[in-house]
Amino acid sequence: MESLPKKRIGIFANGWSCEYLHEIVEGIQKALTVSEPDVFCFVNFSISSQDSEKDDGEANIYHLPDISEFDGVVLLANSFNSQNELEYLYKAVMLSKVPCVSLEYDMDGIFSITSDNYSGMYEMTEHIIKVHKRKDILYIGGPVDHQENMERYRAVVDACRKNRIELGNDRVCFADWSKAGAIACMKKWYEINRRLPAAVICANDIMATGAIEFVHEHGGNVPEDVIVSGYDCIRSDTEQYFSIASVSHEWSAMGAIAVQYLEKQWNKPTEMFSMKLKSRFVCGESCGCVETKAAEFNRFEKRRTIESSKHDGLSVDTHFRHMYSVVRKVDDLQGMRESIAALLEDEHWMEGDNFLLCLDPDFFVADQEDGNLRRHGYANSLETVCYLKDGKAQKAGTVSVSDSIFFLEKGQKARGGQLYVFVPISEEGKTYGFGVMNRDISIIDNNYLYIWTRHMNQYCEHVRRNVILKEMTRRLEEQSLLDALTGVYNRYGCDEIAYPMLEEIHSAGETGIIMMVDVDRMKNINDRYGHVNGDLSLIIIAKTLQTVLPKEWVISRYGGDEFLIAGKLFRDINVAALEEKIMEELSKENNRRKLPFRISMSIGITLLSPDDPYDIREKIQESDRNMYQLKKKHHATEFIN
């Protein structure tokens, strides 16, 4: 019996809240052990700023996939820093009619799961009052206009009131979620009351660390003298010297419930509704409820993790120093492919065994103002700069933007549900491309994904500058070979282009042609009609030659009013007919411009056959002599109207 194709779940999030994202994805993956869909996680690192255009390249990662290609979508809606990002995804989901779950944000027509900021905070407040008998309470909250903060504040007020404790304005201080803000609140309380409170309930763990620091600096002990609690249950805070009594959002459970909601929609369309997930109080040393042995074990594990992180930090630094060393001189697509593939085949512990880096084709096309680079959307086709499969570099090429989303999935042999993490490659709002890793969830945690993305952005920007510099150098070199007046090669260009070409033609056993062209009576034109008309005569001659002669031939301004032409004599070229055609074209120019004089030229031609010895100077002199013989005939006639 043929197995059904695996389902695909798309996750869209901002990566700054890496612990939040990590736990949600972890919860989703654990809940998928039976059905084993593949998970595609699209992450950016945009920030909330006035200069929103700088985030265009970051947010563009959300425009990469076609939402309708997924069987289900999970939006970490409250993580987005731009309302535009959220609105785009909302519209895309609604148009595609793909089953979707929104986390921590209610959206019309979409299942939503939000945290209950009340229950866990109420439970913790009652625990401090009833178990630890603390009634002298100070609440340090977040901003007063923040909905989640005010819900937590309401829980503290209600729990206190139930236990006949009035939490007046003198026992409430609102800050900005920061450690410094909490310390300022503690300082204000201390200056008024000249003592420490018996308990400090903070609206997040970061502010709780500030309160603990203030207590210790003012001679108090936690939890003996002052109990301190927080919110969010951030691992780094619960594992410090004083593990903080906190409230868990149950993010992992939220991810698992999101999968249940998607499965319900897969099986049978159901009515949209919202769910509030109860938060949970978690004891900690800062309230005196964790056994010493358990707390010590947690700290040991934390120290071990820190030591491991130090080693990883050195590995990260080494990895990116190696990457910089191989890309710093790269200035084209092939060079980047070779350098990145060679490095990552040997060293890809961050990228994983299956990895793809795609860049826009225009990335390698120089434009000094970067006007050719996109801010919204992606090109129809992308260049695969590096493709790893099972740790081995594969042949790079061109891939359509739609195929690039599932490129790694198609080459995956593993049957279990896989995680694919997509990040934008961009700089200052310009879209360069994207990277996708197929590896374990740990890349999301510890800011490794952010570090990788930022380094890759910088290295691509460095390569981009090299591309532009190479093109600017080429243009400068080309300009140095060109005659400013006529646009054909100058004498230096003749030396650098024409002579080597003739030598190559001769070495290949083919026939070359050398033409010397001189403007007739140039001195008379300059003296009688001025140098402006003399210059015009040279421009017209150059244009005539460029119009008639084969594009492969080299035309150069050899002297003041002399031109040298060099090229390969193709079999279908009749020299006499070609010379006649040049004169016909010049006659047309004379008639069209209606000048008070007629421009004419003398042409001397010499062939360089394979049997001739290669003596370029002699051949040029021969052409020059032929030209002057014709010039004498022309000078014997009147040329002025």
Side-chain angles (χ1 to χ4, degrees):
M1 181 177 176
E2 187 177 349
S3 61
L4 294 174
K6 284 196 293 186
K7 290 188 180 295
R8 295 163 171 166
I9 295 178
I11 300 177
F12 296 84
N14 186 290
W16 282 110
S17 302
C18 60
E19 188 170 321
Y20 170 39
L21 176 58
H22 179 281
E23 291 197 24
I24 292 292
V25 174
E26 187 175 54
I28 288 174
Q29 286 195 297
K30 285 180 179 178
L32 293 175
T33 53
V34 178
S35 53
E36 297 184 336
D38 283 338
V39 177
F40 297 79
C41 190
F42 298 85
V43 182
N44 77 20
F45 293 94
S46 62
I47 58 175
S48 182
S49 65
Q50 293 181 344
D51 191 3
S52 59
E53 286 192 357
K54 288 188 177 181
D55 285 335
D56 286 347
E58 287 282 336
N60 211 17
I61 195 70
Y62 299 147
H63 294 254
L64 179 64
D66 179 352
I67 298 292
S68 64
E69 296 277 357
F70 297 108
D71 299 287
V73 170
V74 178
L75 300 178
L76 277 65
N78 67 322
S79 71
F80 298 145
N81 276 314
S82 166
Q83 188 65 23
N84 291 336
E85 297 173 10
L86 185 56
E87 288 176 0
Y88 166 76
L89 288 170
Y90 174 71
K91 290 177 182 177
V93 166
M94 298 305 289
L95 285 171
S96 68
K97 299 182 180 179
V98 170
C100 178
V101 177
S102 170
L103 303 184
E104 301 286 18
Y105 197 90
D106 290 324
M107 305 178 78
D108 291 339
I110 294 177
F111 279 106
S112 63
I113 308 172
T114 56
S115 294
D116 169 21
N117 285 271
Y118 185 90
S119 57
M121 188 63 108
Y122 187 96
E123 181 187 356
M124 182 169 65
T125 305
E126 276 218 315
H127 174 85
I128 291 171
I129 295 170
K130 289 184 175 181
V131 176
H132 297 289
K133 312 299 182 185
R134 304 295 174 102
K135 297 183 178 181
D136 184 19
I137 296 172
L138 170 65
Y139 176 74
I140 301 178
V144 292
D145 59 350
H146 195 284
Q147 183 179 354
E148 292 181 358
N149 168 66
M150 297 312 291
E151 194 173 351
R152 295 170 195 177
Y153 169 56
R154 184 169 60 86
V156 175
V157 171
D158 289 352
C160 286
R161 187 170 295 153
K162 180 186 175 184
N163 291 278
R164 297 180 180 179
I165 299 171
E166 282 301 320
L167 203 67
N169 292 336
D170 59 330
R171 293 180 178 274
V172 177
C173 183
F174 295 108
D176 60 357
W177 301 116
S178 70
K179 180 179 177 180
I183 291 174
C185 287
M186 291 292 291
K187 183 179 179 182
K188 181 180 178 181
W189 163 277
Y190 192 80
E191 288 175 349
I192 294 172
N193 297 280
R194 309 311 302 170
R195 62 178 176 79
L196 295 168
V200 181
I201 300 175
C202 298
N204 74 358
D205 291 342
I206 295 173
M207 291 194 291
T209 62
I212 291 172
E213 182 179 301
F214 187 90
V215 170
H216 288 167
E217 288 180 352
H218 288 76
N221 292 311
V222 177
E224 292 84 359
D225 301 318
V226 182
I227 285 177
V228 178
S229 67
Y231 202 104
D232 291 334
C233 214
I234 297 174
R235 288 196 304 270
S236 59
D237 292 329
T238 59
E239 294 167 346
Q240 64 179 355
Y241 183 72
F242 281 100
S243 60
I244 297 174
S246 190
V247 178
S248 170
H249 290 269
E250 300 294 270
W251 284 325
S252 184
M254 185 178 287
I257 294 172
V259 172
Q260 295 174 16
Y261 276 26
L262 289 177
E263 288 177 341
K264 284 182 180 179
Q265 295 178 76
W266 292 337
N267 296 327
K268 183 180 179 180
T270 57
E271 185 179 348
M272 298 295 115
F273 65 90
S274 298
M275 172 188 176
K276 268 195 180 292
L277 185 63
K278 276 195 171 185
S279 51
R280 179 175 59 91
F281 169 52
V282 179
C283 291
E285 280 185 302
S286 67
C287 76
C289 288
V290 174
E291 294 181 7
T292 304
K293 287 185 178 180
E296 188 60 38
F297 176 77
N298 285 340
R299 283 193 288 274
F300 172 77
E301 286 296 301
K302 179 63 176 178
R303 286 196 297 270
R304 187 175 64 81
T305 303
I306 290 172
E307 291 303 317
S308 175
S309 296
K310 287 180 181 178
H311 174 73
D312 288 348
L314 291 173
S315 299
V316 169
D317 180 67
T318 301
H319 183 57
F320 286 116
R321 281 194 289 109
H322 289 169
M323 189 170 290
Y324 176 71
S325 69
V326 301
V327 302
R328 63 191 181 90
K329 294 184 179 180
V330 168
D331 57 15
D332 60 20
L333 172 59
Q334 190 57 32
M336 195 166 186
R337 280 175 171 163
E338 292 172 356
S339 60
I340 296 289
L343 171 67
L344 294 188
E345 190 168 46
D346 292 334
E347 185 182 319
H348 52 263
W349 70 273
M350 286 194 77
E351 294 77 8
D353 289 343
N354 299 292
F355 168 74
L356 181 68
L357 176 64
C358 291
L359 294 180
D360 192 296
D362 282 347
F363 176 86
F364 298 98
V365 178
D367 184 305
Q368 196 168 356
E369 300 299 325
D370 284 339
N372 60 328
L373 298 180
R374 300 166 187 268
R375 290 184 176 271
H376 303 283
Y378 289 80
N380 292 330
S381 296
L382 300 169
E383 298 292 350
T384 60
V385 172
C386 181
Y387 169 35
L388 293 184
K389 181 180 179 182
D390 298 326
K392 299 295 182 183
Q394 306 297 307
K395 184 179 180 181
T398 303
V399 62
S400 70
V401 67
S402 56
D403 287 343
S404 67
I405 311 301
F406 308 111
F407 198 81
L408 294 184
E409 184 191 46
K410 291 176 181 177
Q412 184 61 251
K413 296 179 181 178
R415 294 178 62 83
Q418 299 292 305
L419 174 65
Y420 302 92
V421 182
F422 291 75
V423 289
I425 307 299
S426 65
E427 190 69 21
E428 293 292 319
K430 301 166 293 189
T431 297
Y432 291 162
F434 69 90
V436 53
M437 307 172 188
N438 167 220
R439 52 160 298 175
D440 62 271
I441 197 173
S442 63
I443 189 65
I444 294 176
D445 209 1
N446 297 321
N447 287 317
Y448 279 173
L449 190 61
Y450 169 75
I451 293 168
W452 187 92
T453 304
R454 280 297 169 263
H455 276 86
M456 187 56 70
N457 288 351
Q458 291 169 8
Y459 296 155
C460 284
E461 174 68 7
H462 188 88
V463 172
R464 175 69 182 165
R465 290 175 183 173
N466 287 349
V467 169
I468 293 173
L469 182 61
K470 177 184 178 182
E471 176 61 16
M472 290 176 63
T473 302
R474 185 195 67 77
R475 291 177 185 176
L476 286 172
E477 289 176 348
E478 185 179 76
Q479 288 176 7
S480 71
L481 300 174
L482 297 178
D483 176 53
L485 177 65
T486 61
V488 300
Y489 287 108
N490 56 24
R491 182 61 180 268
Y492 177 58
C494 180
D495 294 341
E496 294 294 314
I497 307 295
Y499 296 166
M501 185 179 72
L502 286 170
E503 186 174 2
E504 186 177 331
I505 291 169
H506 189 266
S507 299
E510 297 171 326
T511 301
I513 184 170
I514 300 171
M515 302 172 66
M516 290 296 296
V517 175
D518 188 271
V519 182
D520 294 334
R521 302 182 181 87
M522 188 66 176
K523 186 176 184 306
N524 290 356
I525 295 174
N526 283 329
D527 290 347
R528 186 168 179 180
Y529 297 99
H531 287 277
V532 171
N533 280 304
D535 289 346
L536 178 60
S537 300
L538 293 171
I539 292 170
I540 291 171
I541 293 290
K543 180 185 175 184
T544 300
L545 295 172
Q546 288 175 311
T547 300
V548 176
L549 297 177
K551 301 299 182 185
E552 298 85 354
W553 288 12
V554 174
I555 304 170
S556 55
R557 187 178 173 190
Y558 194 68
D561 57 355
E562 287 186 326
F563 295 86
L564 182 144
I565 296 97
K568 175 184 173 182
L569 185 62
F570 300 105
R571 292 182 179 179
D572 59 345
I573 291 180
N574 181 295
V575 176
L578 182 65
E579 186 175 1
E580 183 178 344
K581 190 174 181 181
I582 292 171
M583 295 306 181
E584 288 176 357
E585 182 65 26
L586 182 59
S587 179
K588 290 179 184 177
E589 283 291 326
N590 276 309
N591 294 334
R592 184 174 67 84
R593 292 179 181 270
K594 297 183 172 28
L595 296 171
F597 57 88
R598 294 192 67 79
I599 304 170
S600 66
M601 67 175 95
S602 300
I603 303 175
I605 301 174
T606 300
L607 300 183
L608 177 62
S609 69
D611 299 330
D612 293 337
Y614 184 75
D615 188 340
I616 191 66
R617 182 176 297 179
E618 172 57 33
K619 289 296 180 180
I620 289 174
Q621 288 178 351
E622 183 180 334
S623 292
D624 208 39
R625 288 193 295 269
N626 293 338
M627 179 266 293
Y628 271 105
Q629 288 178 5
L630 184 61
K631 194 177 185 72
K632 287 180 181 178
K633 294 180 181 178
H634 288 176
H635 281 197
T637 62
E638 278 298 325
F639 75 103
I640 304 216
N641 290 342

